[in-house]
Amino acid sequence: MNIELRQLRHFVTVAEEMHFGRAALRLHMTQPPLSQSIQALEAMLGVQLFRRTSRSVALTPAGIALLPEARRILQQTAALPDLMRRAASGASGRLSLAFVSTADYSVLPPFLREFREAYPAVEIDLREATTDIQLDDLAQGRIDVGLLIPPLPDKAKLQLDYLPVLSEPLILAAPKGLKALRGKQTVALQAVAEMPLIIFPRRIAPAFHDAILACYRDAGLTPHIGQEAIQMQTIIGLVSAGMGIALVPQSVSNLKRPGVDYKALANKTPLVETGLAWRRDNTSPVLNAFLELLRKK
């Protein structure tokens, strides 16, 4: 069966006018070809669509059933050019974005808000994942872009492009009420050196892990690692429970949790960077639109 759009358009016009002559005028054609088009459609469908008399035209039950479907098909077809233009420009489609837990308290919310305002028709698929998992997902093409903590491994650099978006210092997260913290806005790491350290496993975020240990090393201290956890929420939860202290990116102080004090460190700390990584061969218009929006910031 090869129904043509023009046949559906002819059918809908006759159904709306209930008169072949008026329908032919609307369609800028003569009546005989219009009648032939309707007859061909009826023959193709194997049903009669109109009851015709010398004085009137009426839809049959089959015609009544076809009318809303024919209108829907014509409306969808008319929308196709705009849909294709929007897809080609990145104004519609889907973006799969993974993010490390620390980004949820810093760059992720404003990024999403700005992109949603600019491209409301884009569907965003969000997933929280550690840097190592994101790198594997990017390599396998399971996500479009990742918000992660660099550096990228040498192998990943062959496939991925990278854009830094945030650098921030480490601060102290400590159980509330510690004597060493009372009345202080800035704390030396030496003041809490005896507390167990809660930290990301090195395999999850090597650069972040090493930055924390460098703070201890530069202060002439050796940390006692009490717990390891892969989610920032878990780390702060353990601090709240009095299980130890943590050194966290400054933006994590936006994660308010009872029983936790955030303090600036008097010690010099390395900056922790967060950035976007994506496959160099990913030509998705939606990804390009997302990246262009962020490059303008």
Side-chain angles (χ1 to χ4, degrees), residues 230-296:
I230 65 171
Q231 301 293 338
M232 188 55 67
Q233 299 95 318
T234 305
I235 289 175
I236 298 302
L238 291 171
V239 171
S240 175
M243 300 292 290
I245 62 169
L247 300 189
V248 300
Q250 182 175 271
S251 58
V252 173
S253 62
N254 292 321
L255 172 55
K256 304 302 181 185
R257 187 68 63 87
V260 178
D261 269 338
Y262 295 103
K263 299 290 184 180
L265 285 166
N267 312 72
K268 183 179 179 181
T269 68
L271 296 178
V272 176
E273 185 173 288
T274 303
L276 287 165
W278 65 94
R279 284 181 66 105
R280 197 170 291 122
D281 61 1
N282 189 339
T283 58
S284 163
V286 174
L287 172 61
N288 289 335
F290 180 72
L291 295 173
E292 283 304 310
L293 191 66
L294 297 188
R295 287 188 178 114
K296 294 175 183 176

Side-chain angles (χ1 to χ4, degrees), residues 14 38 74 78 99 102 113 125 186 194 198 218 220 222 231 288:
V14 174
I38 297 297
L74 292 172
F99 60 95
T102 52
R113 182 166 54 251
D125 174 23
T186 302
E194 299 303 316
I198 304 167
D218 293 346
T222 300
Q231 301 293 338
N288 289 335

Side-chain angles (χ1 to χ4, degrees), residues 6-27 29-31 33-39 41-42 49-52 56-59 63 67 71 74:
R6 66 176 181 83
Q7 292 175 306
L8 293 179
R9 194 172 296 108
H10 294 169
F11 164 73
V12 169
T13 306
V14 174
E16 290 174 349
E17 294 292 342
M18 286 303 175
H19 190 281
F20 275 80
R22 290 194 298 270
L25 286 174
R26 266 182 60 184
L27 292 164
M29 62 190 300
T30 60
Q31 186 170 333
L34 176 59
S35 297
Q36 292 169 7
S37 176
I38 297 297
Q39 289 168 2
L41 179 60
E42 290 175 325
L49 299 173
F50 294 100
R51 290 193 185 93
R52 306 166 180 83
S56 66
V57 175
L59 285 168
L67 183 57
R71 282 174 169 155
L74 292 172

Side-chain angles (χ1 to χ4, degrees), residues 106-180:
S106 56
V107 294
L108 182 63
F111 280 3
L112 293 179
R113 182 166 54 251
E114 188 171 350
F115 187 66
R116 176 63 71 197
E117 289 173 357
Y119 299 97
V122 171
E123 176 188 351
I124 303 175
D125 174 23
L126 290 173
R127 61 187 76 175
E128 185 177 332
T130 53
T131 294
D132 58 329
I133 292 176
Q134 288 190 46
L135 291 172
D136 185 57
D137 284 346
L138 284 166
Q140 300 301 320
R142 289 189 287 263
I143 59 173
D144 293 310
V145 62
L147 258 173
L148 46 75
I149 297 174
L152 303 182
D154 289 340
K155 184 178 178 181
K157 290 178 182 177
L158 299 175
Q159 283 186 301
L160 305 180
D161 281 331
Y162 175 77
L163 176 69
V165 295
L166 176 69
S167 292
E168 54 184 334
L170 292 170
I171 62 171
L172 174 69
K176 205 172 190 68
L178 287 183
K179 185 177 180 181

Side-chain angles (χ1 to χ4, degrees), residues 204-219:
I204 299 298
F208 187 24
H209 182 100
D210 292 349
I212 293 171
L213 295 190
C215 289
Y216 277 82
R217 184 175 61 250
D218 293 346

